[in-house]
Amino acid sequence: MAYETKLDPEDHIYLEPDELIKNLKVSTAEEASAKLRDHIDNLENVSLNVAITGMTGAGKSTFISALRGLNDDEEESSPTGVTETTMVPTMFPHPSMPNVKIWDLPGIGSPKFKAKQYLRDVKFDTYDFFIILSADRFKENDLMLAEEIKKKNKPFYFVRSKIDNDIRSEKKKKKFNEQQVLSKIKDDCRRNLKKLGDPKVFLVSSHELEKYDFQALMDHLEGDLPEHKRYALVQSLPVCSLQVLEKKKQYLRRMIWLTAFGSGAIAMTTIPGLAAGCDIGIVMAFFTRSFQAFGLDEKSLQSLSERVNKPVDELKSVMKSCFANGITVEVVRTFFSTSKVDIAMKVEYVLSSIPLMGALPAGGISLGTIFHLLSKGLNQMADDAKAVLKVAGLE
Ligand SMILES: Nc1nc2c(ncn2[C@@H]2O[C@H](COP(=O)(O)OP(=O)(O)OP(=O)(O)O)[C@@H](O)[C@H]2O)c(=O)[nH]1
Ligand SMILES: [Mg+2]
C-alpha cells in the first residue's frame, strides 16, 4: 500500500456504515453519493413531536424551555407563571432543529376532565410520545389520561417536576439524606400510579437538568423511539452534562461516514489539492449541526451564561479550536487546507469490501482525507464543548 494507515483507535468503533453502503444497491460512486446525501437529509428532516401535559402549574412551560435550551425569562420561552397561562396546545420549535417540535398541551386540572375528549381535542396522533408532569403526587386526571394514552398505543412518561424545591426544603431538616428523599418521592408517586401497573417515574428539575433523572428519562426516550428518530432527539437535547455531550458525539461520528461518502469524494479519481471536488455544502452542514448540537453557537452560550451566572466571554475563552467563532465557509476551508493529513486511513479496509469502490483507488485517498478531517473537526468541537461545560460547572 502506498500510504500510511494511521488511525485514531476510536475510529474502529464506527465502521458499521459500510453495511449501509453495501446495501445501497447502486452501480456507480456518484449514485452512492447521491443516495447518502438523501439519507442525511432524511435524518436531518425527520419530525419529532413531543407532547408535554399535566395539571396547571405543574411546570410544563418551564420544562419546555429547558428542553429547548432556553431560560424562563427568554423572549421565545413558553410563558410561565403562577396563574393558568396555557389554554390551547402551543407548538415550540427547537431553536436549531425546527423539525423537532415541543407541544405545550392545556392543563388537565378541571374536575370535569374527560381524557378521551381531551386527547381528541389535542390531536393525540400528532405526537411521538407524551410526558405527564406533576409537581407533587399524580392525581386522578393524570391517571385517566395515562390510561387513555396507553389504549391508543402511544408511549408516555411520568415526570415528577420541581425536585430542586423538595430537596431545598428537606435540606433544612436534621437528618437530611438526598438519596432517601428522592427514593421516598419516587415510591410515593409509584404507589399513586399502581393502578397502571408499575410505570416508571422520573424525578426532574427544569432548573438543574444535569441532576436527578433527566438523563435516565432521555435514555428511555432514546431507547423507545424508532431508530430513525433517535438522531433528532439526541441532537436536540440541551448540553447539560458530559453524558449528553458524549452521546451527541457518538451519533455525530456515525454521520461522518455518511458525510464523507455523501460529499462526493468517492466520485473523484484524482485529488487536485486537498479536498478539492468535495461538496463543501455537505461538510458545512455537518460542522454546523455539530456546532449547534454541542451548544457552541452564540445563542446557546448566551442561555448557558445566564443559567450558570458566568459571562459569555468566560465560557468562550476556553474554546480553543478554529471553530470557536462560528462555522463559515472560510473557516472550514482554512481548516481543511491547514490540517496536517499524514494518514490515508484504514478506509481501504471498508472500501475493499464495497465492489463499486474497487475501480477508484485515488478516490479512496480523498475519502480517507475527508473522513479524517471531519473526525478531527468533530473532536476539536467536542473538546471545546467539554471545556465550556467545565467552566460552567456542569462537568
Ligand atoms: N424550583 C423550580 N420551580 C419550577 C420548576 N418548574 C417550574 N417551576 C416554577 O413553577 C411555576 C409554574 O411553572 P410553569 O412552567 O408556568 O407551569 P405550567 O405547567 O406551564 O403552568 P400552566 O401553563 O399554568 O398550566 C413557575 O413559577 C415556575 O418558575 C422547577 O423545576 N424548579
Ligand atoms: Mg404553561
Side-chain angles (χ1 to χ4, degrees):
M1 209 174 324
Y3 19 86
E4 255 184 277
T5 52
K6 218 192 285 167
L7 194 70
D8 291 343
E10 253 192 309
D11 288 341
H12 291 289
I13 309 166
Y14 301 97
L15 293 179
E16 67 271 38
D18 61 331
E19 283 302 315
L20 182 95
I21 307 278
K22 269 194 273 186
N23 293 332
L24 280 178
K25 299 197 174 73
V26 290
S27 49
T28 66
E30 285 85 352
E31 263 184 83
S33 256
K35 273 214 171 171
L36 288 167
R37 277 200 295 272
D38 278 353
H39 190 72
I40 295 174
D41 274 355
N42 290 340
L43 275 176
E44 279 289 340
N45 293 317
V46 79
S47 69
L48 186 66
N49 285 281
V50 180
I52 311 292
T53 183
M55 308 269 276
T56 296
K60 298 181 291 294
S61 304
T62 311
F63 186 58
I64 290 170
S65 299
L67 282 178
R68 298 167 68 227
L70 305 171
N71 301 313
D72 290 357
D73 49 0
E74 279 179 74
E75 228 171 67
E76 295 164 76
S77 294
S78 187
T80 57
V82 283
T83 53
E84 199 160 331
T85 41
T86 316
M87 301 307 289
V88 284
T90 317
M91 189 273 279
F92 294 91
H94 185 274
S96 65
M97 301 185 76
N99 46 313
V100 174
K101 295 171 182 146
I102 308 176
W103 296 81
D104 191 336
L105 301 196
I108 54 174
S110 147
K112 284 185 250 154
F113 177 74
K114 297 265 185 310
K116 211 171 180 166
Q117 183 61 41
Y118 177 85
L119 285 179
R120 222 174 324 189
D121 289 347
V122 301
K123 301 194 170 59
F124 70 89
D125 237 3
T126 312
Y127 314 106
D128 291 288
F129 56 83
F130 289 78
I131 291 180
I132 305 173
L133 285 182
S134 177
D136 48 73
R137 53 183 54 183
F138 291 90
K139 305 280 173 3
E140 193 52 33
N141 284 355
D142 298 310
L143 265 93
M144 285 197 301
L145 182 64
E147 269 176 336
E148 206 52 43
I149 298 173
K150 200 172 175 181
K151 275 190 212 157
K152 306 214 179 295
N153 279 324
K154 290 269 184 183
F156 60 89
Y157 305 86
F158 285 108
V159 168
R160 167 59 161 78
S161 61
K162 309 190 196 178
I163 292 299
D164 55 317
N165 276 347
D166 298 80
I167 294 296
R168 201 172 312 114
S169 61
E170 287 291 326
K171 249 186 187 155
K172 293 179 192 136
K173 295 185 182 163
K174 251 191 193 154
K175 284 188 179 161
F176 170 73
N177 176 317
E178 183 167 306
Q179 273 321 310
Q180 271 172 14
V181 175
L182 296 175
S183 300
K184 189 168 173 299
I185 298 174
K186 209 175 253 188
D187 289 347
D188 266 3
C189 290
R190 281 211 183 120
R191 209 169 306 127
N192 242 220
L193 297 168
K194 237 188 179 141
K195 243 168 81 181
L196 291 168
D198 190 16
K200 284 216 151 49
V201 177
F202 299 91
L203 312 185
V204 168
S205 160
S206 297
H207 295 162
E208 295 167 306
L209 292 184
E210 68 280 9
K211 290 188 182 166
Y212 318 115
D213 293 338
F214 179 73
Q215 184 65 48
L217 171 64
M218 292 305 129
D219 290 346
H220 271 83
L221 288 175
E222 184 196 350
D224 294 347
L225 275 175
E227 183 116 22
H228 68 287
K229 298 221 177 199
R230 290 180 191 165
Y231 173 77
L233 174 81
V234 170
Q235 299 317 353
S236 72
L237 293 179
V239 189
C240 54
S241 67
L242 213 51
Q243 246 174 320
V244 171
L245 184 65
E246 281 305 325
K247 185 152 274 178
K248 284 172 180 254
K249 188 176 168 191
Q250 186 190 328
Y251 272 73
L252 286 164
R253 288 198 65 95
R254 296 186 62 176
M255 295 296 277
I256 289 180
W257 271 111
L258 302 179
T259 306
F261 278 89
S263 73
I266 44 175
M268 298 189 301
T269 48
T270 55
I271 335 157
L274 240 193
C278 151
D279 178 349
I280 190 91
I282 194 171
V283 170
M284 287 286 297
F286 172 78
F287 279 145
T288 305
R289 164 63 55 235
S290 306
F291 195 69
Q292 287 173 337
F294 286 152
L296 297 174
D297 54 297
E298 207 60 47
K299 213 166 157 186
S300 301
L301 288 177
Q302 189 65 46
S303 295
L304 181 65
S305 143
E306 283 162 26
R307 194 157 89 73
V308 300
N309 234 330
K310 295 246 161 84
V312 174
D313 284 346
E314 192 178 333
L315 300 176
K316 268 190 119 165
S317 69
V318 294
M319 291 167 63
K320 301 293 179 211
S321 81
C322 62
F323 306 107
N325 290 313
I327 312 290
T328 61
V329 174
E330 212 39 54
V331 167
V332 172
R333 275 194 200 288
T334 310
F335 173 69
F336 266 39
S337 59
T338 54
S339 292
K340 212 171 141 245
V341 182
D342 55 352
I343 38 106
M345 318 268 310
K346 266 272 174 45
V347 167
E348 288 76 22
Y349 155 74
V350 176
L351 291 183
S352 63
S353 65
I354 309 165
L356 73 96
M357 299 302 158
L360 296 165
I365 304 172
S366 304
L367 181 65
T369 304
I370 288 173
F371 179 92
H372 170 72
L373 291 175
L374 291 174
S375 177
K376 189 170 164 181
L378 182 70
N379 286 342
Q380 288 185 4
M381 279 186 218
D383 287 346
D384 276 355
K386 257 183 231 171
V388 170
L389 267 185
K390 194 170 178 183
V391 185
L394 296 175
E395 196 193 38

